[in-house]
Amino acid sequence: MKEKIDLNKLPNHIAVIMDGNGRWAKKQGAARVFGHKSAIKAVRDITEGCAELGVKYLTLYAFSTENWSRPKAEVQALMQLLVSTIRSEVSTLMDNDIKLATIGDTKSLPSRCQKELSEAMEITAHNNRMTLFLALSYSGRWDILNAAKKMALDIAENRQLIDQIDEQDFANYLDTSGVPDPELLIRTSGEQRISNFLLWQMAYTEFFITDVLWPDFRKENLYEAIISYQNRERRFGMISEQVNG
Ligand code: IPE
Ligand code: IPE
Ligand code: MG
């Protein structure tokens, strides 16, 4: 499948809602946490797959603001897994020249997660091939509200003129500041919703929804998503003739 991808029409930025870990585990009579542990392989495979192709930004929805409402033991297990995974994957990130970054309210994460993350970000800071964003304690509404607060402060302190603020200025207050909007969103496990992910940034993103559960998602599935994206006509409100003219 890889040969069918047009490398000149690659998305710059792919966003992924990694969903279905719990159902994957349940299907084999295991605890949900086993699904989360088994998801690491998919994360590694897709991160590597994107970097190899030349995708510049990959954003993985790893933990939403709403996920804090899950049973305490599951939240704890996810945080523990985050720490151990970051620790073990730094060498893979270095080998693949990938920079690690985060979006979301990471200050709300346990301090050992924050420490592990900031160390990994520091170590990988000069890598250039691709940036991997982990969305942690992230939600689109949190991002927009946070941006609005920062902008309000700049207005109140005369660093911004309210009448001159355009969409680009506002986007610069978001956690994704400086990063192009994702052209492609992949959601696994068949759910057809956005679950409070990149609400502002996905205004014109193409959606690829697959029934594959996240722990089973591999490079071939990634290629299928990219090929599907490349076969679409993105009209941005215009008509076909304009886009092709
Ligand atoms: C996605 O898998 C991982 C996180 C949200 C952290 P789920 O845990 O949501 O799995 P399902 O949707 O219950 O199968
Ligand atoms: C979305 O998955 C969040 C992440 C993948 C981290 P959920 O499983 O939490 O989404 P909903 O609540 O079912 O929409
Ligand atoms: Mg889910």
Side-chain angles (χ1 to χ4, degrees):
M1 260 215 232
K2 199 178 177 183
E3 295 78 57
K4 289 194 196 146
I5 296 175
D6 181 351
L7 293 176
N8 297 314
K9 272 172 55 186
L10 268 187
N12 285 304
H13 184 179
I14 298 179
V16 185
I17 302 180
M18 312 183 286
D19 199 13
N21 298 352
R23 278 163 283 169
W24 185 90
K26 199 176 172 187
K27 265 194 354 191
Q28 38 211 305
R32 294 180 54 84
V33 178
F34 181 61
H36 297 315
K37 286 189 178 146
S38 308
I40 309 300
K41 245 185 164 166
V43 172
R44 197 182 296 135
D45 213 53
I46 272 34
T47 303
E48 203 182 76
C50 284
E52 283 166 359
L53 284 171
V55 173
K56 282 308 199 189
Y57 303 93
L58 172 65
T59 302
L60 301 177
Y61 205 6
F63 194 83
S64 72
T65 306
E66 288 75 19
N67 288 149
W68 289 113
S69 308
R70 292 193 176 191
K72 210 173 154 201
E74 182 168 342
V75 172
Q76 275 177 354
L78 281 166
M79 293 303 150
Q80 184 48 48
L81 194 60
L82 182 63
V83 171
S84 59
T85 306
I86 293 163
R87 193 168 296 168
S88 64
E89 295 306 309
V90 168
S91 61
T92 316
L93 294 175
M94 292 308 289
D95 290 345
N96 286 287
D97 198 13
I98 298 167
K99 185 195 296 191
L100 182 72
T102 61
I103 55 170
D105 186 18
T106 47
K107 286 188 192 74
S108 66
L109 297 171
S111 57
R112 63 182 198 290
C113 290
Q114 294 187 44
K115 188 169 163 278
E116 206 67 47
L117 278 167
S118 60
E119 279 174 19
M121 290 193 291
E122 206 180 297
I123 295 170
T124 62
H126 301 291
N127 290 349
N128 253 322
R129 188 151 71 140
M130 185 180 84
T131 303
L132 168 65
F133 284 102
L134 293 181
L136 292 164
S137 192
Y138 180 86
S139 75
R141 285 188 175 178
W142 169 85
D143 200 2
I144 292 169
L145 185 59
N146 201 39
K149 287 179 186 173
K150 287 191 273 181
M151 191 174 72
L153 191 66
D154 277 353
I155 294 167
E157 295 179 354
N158 297 315
R159 286 186 295 269
Q160 284 276 16
L161 288 169
I162 199 157
D163 292 330
Q164 286 176 13
I165 294 164
D166 60 17
E167 288 188 4
Q168 192 50 57
D169 294 325
F170 186 77
N172 287 340
Y173 287 101
L174 295 165
D175 257 16
T176 49
S177 170
V179 179
D181 290 342
E183 294 94 335
L184 171 63
L185 168 79
I186 298 171
R187 182 164 192 157
T188 56
S189 87
E191 304 298 352
Q192 302 184 22
R193 53 179 174 260
I194 206 164
S195 298
N196 213 350
F197 198 20
L198 301 158
L199 296 179
W200 171 283
Q201 296 88 339
M202 297 213 288
Y204 257 108
T205 298
E206 297 293 332
F207 285 21
F208 179 86
I209 294 169
T210 170
D211 286 334
V212 174
L213 302 174
W214 178 252
D216 290 329
F217 199 85
R218 290 293 178 274
K219 283 180 193 173
E220 282 299 307
N221 307 101
L222 169 74
Y223 301 154
E224 188 194 345
I226 294 175
I227 291 163
S228 163
Y229 160 79
Q230 292 188 330
N231 285 316
R232 299 180 193 187
E233 183 177 68
R234 304 186 76 201
R235 288 188 289 277
F236 299 100
M238 292 178 281
I239 64 169
S240 202
E241 287 75 4
Q242 291 176 293
V243 180
N244 294 308

